[in-house]
Amino acid sequence: MTTAGPHPLPLSRATAHRLPPPLRPALDAGALRTRVVHLGLGAFHRAHQALYTENAALRSGEPWGITAVAPRSVETVRALRAQDCLYTLTEQHPEGPRPRVVSALTGALAMSEEPERIDALLTDPQVTVVTLTVTEKGYHARGGTLDRAAPAIAADLAAAADPARARTVIGRLAAGLAARMRTTAAPITVVTCDNMADNGAVLGAVVRAFTEASGWPDRHTVLDRMATAVTFPATVVDRIVPATTPADRAAAGAALGLTDALPVTAEPYRQWVLQDTFAAARPPWELDGALFVPDPAPYQLTKLRLLNGSHSALAYLGLAAGATTIDGALATDWGEPLVRALCAEVADTLPPGGPDPAAYADALVTRFRNPAMGHRLSQIGSDGSLKIPERWLPALRTLRAAGTATPVLELALAGWVHATRPGAGTTDPAAATLAAHHLPQDPAGTVRALLTALGAPDLAGDQDLTTAVAARLPALRAGRVEI
């Protein structure tokens, strides 16, 4: 019988000297200054923007540091602080993992507990960039502007006289920007890194709408100053970052010889395309491969409709066929044909100036096939009611208006319909509502009701479409995906 050895020491600045030399932080976090505030302390930020910022600081010698704000998880903030904001990022290459310790974060704050500290940063002229990764639902947008009827937004507006009580990211951001406009009005750029069409314009619209509706006596002065001092560039971010598993934590600990409570893993590929409309100084992210362009819309739509669109399709169809991970779905006889067929079907809806759709599909197949990722279909398929309206429906409308056949999007929609049935196991903020729309004796009626619930009554009224989607359901119920 063997006994366990002593529990490994935690990762921290004090223990970093124990790391194997290739894994040690590339930067001394103590020499960095907070010049970027990030809202949304999740795995994607730590595997994407934080890495770009660390590499930009390393290659330029400029002290760009990030204070990250967790909108909800106080536990994550505490765990990160206990590690002096260090964490492991492991790139999962097919030939094996490549871990490194990232030191770009100079602080971590809990939005609900530390509003004054957040506002102090947002009013600091040395902070010139705010970035966000809060998922589509964090913007509370409907029809391109603020959904004032959303309960969380309504609560923040009702408490707007006391901005410290804001509980939504939009309310907190609007309050912080208003405080900045009332004091120095120093220029600042707010960079959304979430998957939405026209994401910069949407973010700007919801922040301005919140400010307008706030009732603040000086709100019009604040808005006038924001018009010249604050910009909201559009962006495209791309990197597959699966949810961290216990196995990931164990692997990070084994590689480090230290305990890391918050490791992240990611695929080797990453991309960041940004609209070049910054109001103030920014990290030189281009030194690490970021691309600055006048208009990222072609890249944005390509990613939304090809990558995100095929990701969702693989998730719902893979779940129906009994797969659990994205590489497992690619290993089926229908996985790769599905990705290539969807990209080909949607290609004509993309504007010129972006990546070549066929080459993009080749890259997607390679990325999705990576067996080291283990990206779970249940994670990819979450929040479908928020994702599907952007990933599939605009292309579907364009193609059907042109009289173009849409068999792959119809199959994908059938996969989503199948995944919304009662007890299907997918997670969605509208799960109960969606499940209630299932009519066992009327499959086409079910499709119509679900499309209406997605805010697509025009597609719900397309009888040929709803009939075609419904016709796909029996095979999916039997676990078959028929391209």
Side-chain angles (χ1 to χ4, degrees):
M1 178 176 178
T2 60
T3 58
H7 190 73
L9 293 170
L11 174 65
S12 69
R13 290 190 202 175
T15 60
H17 70 280
R18 296 172 174 265
L19 295 169
L23 272 63
R24 290 175 187 169
L27 289 172
D28 175 10
L32 300 176
R33 297 199 306 271
T34 295
R35 300 181 66 183
V36 177
V37 171
H38 180 78
L39 303 175
L41 185 49
F44 185 82
H45 167 68
R46 289 183 284 128
H48 191 274
Q49 299 92 32
L51 180 62
Y52 275 96
T53 302
E54 175 170 279
N55 288 340
L58 180 66
R59 292 166 186 171
S60 68
E62 300 172 8
W64 289 96
I66 304 167
T67 289
V69 177
R72 291 175 299 277
S73 179
V74 176
E75 293 76 14
T76 298
V77 170
R78 290 172 181 161
L80 200 55
R81 285 176 176 172
Q83 298 182 180
D84 297 321
C85 295
L86 301 177
Y87 62 90
T88 312
L89 167 60
T90 300
E91 291 186 350
Q92 298 287 8
H93 292 258
E95 62 273 17
R98 298 181 190 175
R100 64 180 285 181
V101 172
V102 178
S103 56
L105 301 186
T106 52
L109 300 174
M111 194 176 82
S112 60
E113 295 188 348
E114 300 166 296
E116 294 84 3
R117 293 184 64 185
I118 296 166
D119 282 351
L121 287 172
L122 292 177
T123 56
D124 182 354
Q126 293 299 309
V127 172
T128 56
V129 177
V130 176
T131 55
L132 296 87
T133 52
V134 295
T135 75
E136 296 96 327
K137 61 188 174 185
Y139 293 81
H140 298 284
R142 181 179 292 273
T145 190
L146 184 69
D147 181 5
R148 293 176 57 180
I153 290 294
D156 274 7
L157 288 172
D162 182 8
R165 294 170 59 190
R167 291 297 178 265
T168 67
V169 169
I170 297 305
R172 166 58 39 223
L173 177 59
L177 291 175
R180 189 180 183 100
M181 296 302 101
R182 293 178 185 124
T183 53
T184 64
I188 191 168
T189 306
V190 186
V191 183
T192 167
C193 301
D194 285 297
N195 290 316
M196 299 183 294
D198 299 320
N199 55 3
V202 169
L203 175 57
V206 297
V207 169
R208 287 187 288 268
F210 187 98
T211 304
E212 179 67 45
S214 67
W216 297 327
D218 62 347
R219 62 190 180 279
H220 296 300
T221 300
V222 167
L223 287 167
D224 287 345
R225 291 177 180 172
M226 283 177 57
T228 57
V230 185
T231 58
F232 299 89
T235 67
V236 181
V237 296
D238 193 359
R239 189 170 217 188
I240 297 172
V241 182
T244 301
T245 67
D248 294 329
R249 294 186 182 90
L256 301 182
L258 299 170
T259 298
D260 183 355
L262 292 170
V264 292
T265 65
E267 67 170 331
Y269 178 91
R270 58 190 168 98
Q271 181 191 51
W272 200 1
V273 183
L274 303 99
Q275 186 178 18
D276 199 3
T277 55
F278 280 67
R282 60 166 178 79
W285 289 312
E286 65 273 21
L287 296 181
D288 195 37
L291 181 63
F292 289 84
V293 299
D295 180 11
Y299 296 88
Q300 191 174 65
L301 284 176
T302 297
K303 178 177 182 286
L304 275 171
R305 296 184 182 178
L306 302 193
L307 184 145
N308 299 128
S310 60
H311 228 196
S312 290
L314 283 168
Y316 299 121
L317 297 171
L319 288 169
T324 58
T325 61
I326 203 75
D327 62 293
L330 254 289
T332 64
D333 58 358
W334 54 264
E336 180 176 340
L338 174 78
V339 173
R340 295 191 183 280
L342 188 145
C343 291
E345 184 169 292
V346 172
D348 286 344
T349 73
L350 300 174
D356 174 68
Y360 198 89
D362 289 341
L364 289 181
V365 168
T366 299
R367 294 169 63 188
F368 292 166
R369 188 181 283 140
N370 184 348
M373 291 300 297
H375 199 181
R376 299 192 66 80
L377 301 181
S378 57
Q379 179 193 7
I380 299 166
S382 66
D383 301 337
S385 66
L386 299 173
K387 297 173 179 176
I388 298 313
E390 291 204 324
R391 298 181 178 189
W392 296 344
L393 302 193
L396 192 60
R397 289 187 177 100
T398 298
L399 292 169
R400 296 191 73 80
T404 303
T406 55
V408 187
L409 287 171
E410 292 161 14
L411 173 61
L413 266 176
W416 175 74
V417 169
H418 180 69
T420 61
R421 71 196 190 283
T426 53
T427 60
D428 194 293
T433 299
L434 298 174
H437 285 307
H438 277 258
L439 309 170
Q441 306 307 316
D442 186 4
T446 296
V447 176
R448 286 195 297 273
L450 288 170
L451 285 171
T452 301
L454 286 183
D458 56 326
L459 294 174
D462 184 337
Q463 184 174 352
D464 289 342
L465 173 64
T466 57
T467 300
V469 172
R472 297 281 196 166
L473 293 173
L476 294 179
R477 286 194 289 267
R480 299 194 312 274
V481 177
E482 299 173 348
I483 300 293

